[in-house]
Amino acid sequence: MDIIADRLRGLAGGRVLDLATGSGAFAARLAAGLASYDAICAVDSSPRALQAARANLAGLRAARVEEADAAALPYPDASFDTVAVANSLHHFADPRAVLAEAARVLAPGGRLLVLEMHREAADAPAESHVLLHHWWAAVDSAGGTFHAETLDRAAIRALMVGSCLSAESWDEVPGDEDDPLDPGLLAEIEGAVTAYRGKIAALREGAALPEGALAALEARGGELLARVRRVGFRSAPSLFFVGRKTEGTA
């Protein structure tokens, strides 16, 4: 059962904003899954992400891709009927500021959709993803890019406390890989590990960290790759939140 699809098909999106869109994958999912929508605006602050999103969303009806800082959106209050942020809260130094901006540009009665992976994995393959993500976060942070470790359920829920939103639903979304040892999947993970080893090599060339710290990061990546080959990989579970902005709230 696709829990997210079940939730989306019951929602009329209206004017949709997808924050930190990355490659645009969740914006495309919204367009395909919502009962209806008028227009979709996908935003990101990364030039590389914007390039990918523009290519991937080029054929999407009533869609546009714009550069914007999710913590300081260039849109008036109540500009959108649906605001989404998928698997991105851990990329923000102040996720509460991002959620506050999301609530500000959301029209009264509009919905906020938050999908965020959590660290409470149910099995060894899913724990592989959590541990890999922690390593990716450490490498990115060493290079000066903010990237927090995977949050737990309680931390994700706490981020929604004190907002002007009433919770409509909280759903647990499991990873969907059928075979955690699928050769194609393992090759994809190996490619991701290789890419992050390249980031460590770049840090070494720039003398960004002491050699001991870089060597430890590199060794950790090797250990995690060996783990994935042994027990497999499955996407970490996520929480999917649907909240509604209280009527009459500015």
Side-chain angles (χ1 to χ4, degrees):
M1 181 177 69
D2 188 334
I3 297 167
I4 296 174
D6 285 348
R7 292 295 182 193
L8 292 182
R9 70 169 57 99
L11 302 178
R15 302 160 296 170
V16 178
L17 175 66
D18 185 41
L19 299 177
T21 194
S23 65
F26 199 71
R29 189 170 188 177
L30 292 170
L34 287 167
S36 63
Y37 73 90
D38 297 330
I40 291 182
C41 178
V43 302
D44 207 291
S45 60
S46 162
R48 179 177 294 184
L50 290 167
Q51 182 178 16
R54 287 185 176 116
N56 292 332
L57 302 178
L60 196 64
R61 178 184 66 81
R64 68 185 193 273
V65 178
E66 297 179 348
E67 181 176 359
D69 179 354
L73 293 169
Y75 307 115
D77 296 354
S79 297
F80 298 93
D81 304 297
T82 303
V83 179
V85 54
N87 285 320
S88 296
L89 291 182
H90 60 276
H91 286 288
F92 298 116
D94 187 356
R96 287 189 182 279
V98 172
L99 292 172
E101 272 294 87
R104 180 186 66 79
V105 301
L106 193 61
R111 289 182 174 88
L112 174 68
L113 315 180
V114 177
L115 177 66
E116 183 71 14
M117 63 184 282
H118 66 74
R119 65 169 66 194
E120 294 159 75
D123 56 28
E127 188 177 9
S128 292
H129 186 191
V130 173
L131 294 173
L132 274 168
H133 183 260
H134 289 179
W135 178 62
W136 293 331
V139 175
D140 285 339
S141 297
T145 299
F146 184 86
H147 192 169
E149 290 190 351
T150 320
L151 303 173
D152 60 25
R153 289 186 185 96
I156 296 169
R157 287 178 176 273
L159 287 172
M160 306 303 162
V161 173
S163 70
C164 58
L165 300 166
S166 60
E168 290 193 339
S169 59
W170 279 102
D171 290 300
E172 180 85 9
V173 182
D176 57 4
E177 290 81 4
D178 292 328
D179 180 4
L181 289 169
D182 174 75
L185 174 63
L186 297 188
E188 183 180 341
I189 299 306
E190 185 158 353
V193 170
T194 298
Y196 267 79
R197 282 175 163 169
K199 291 187 177 187
I200 294 171
L203 291 173
R204 180 172 281 117
E205 290 177 5
L209 285 177
E211 176 56 32
L214 292 171
L217 275 177
E218 195 163 34
R220 184 175 162 191
E223 292 165 1
L224 288 170
L225 184 56
R227 174 198 168 88
V228 169
R229 289 169 175 161
R230 185 175 70 255
V231 306
F233 176 96
R234 177 176 287 112
S235 296
S238 300
L239 285 180
F240 184 51
F241 169 79
V242 178
R244 190 159 193 163
K245 187 170 180 178
T246 306
E247 294 283 355
T249 304

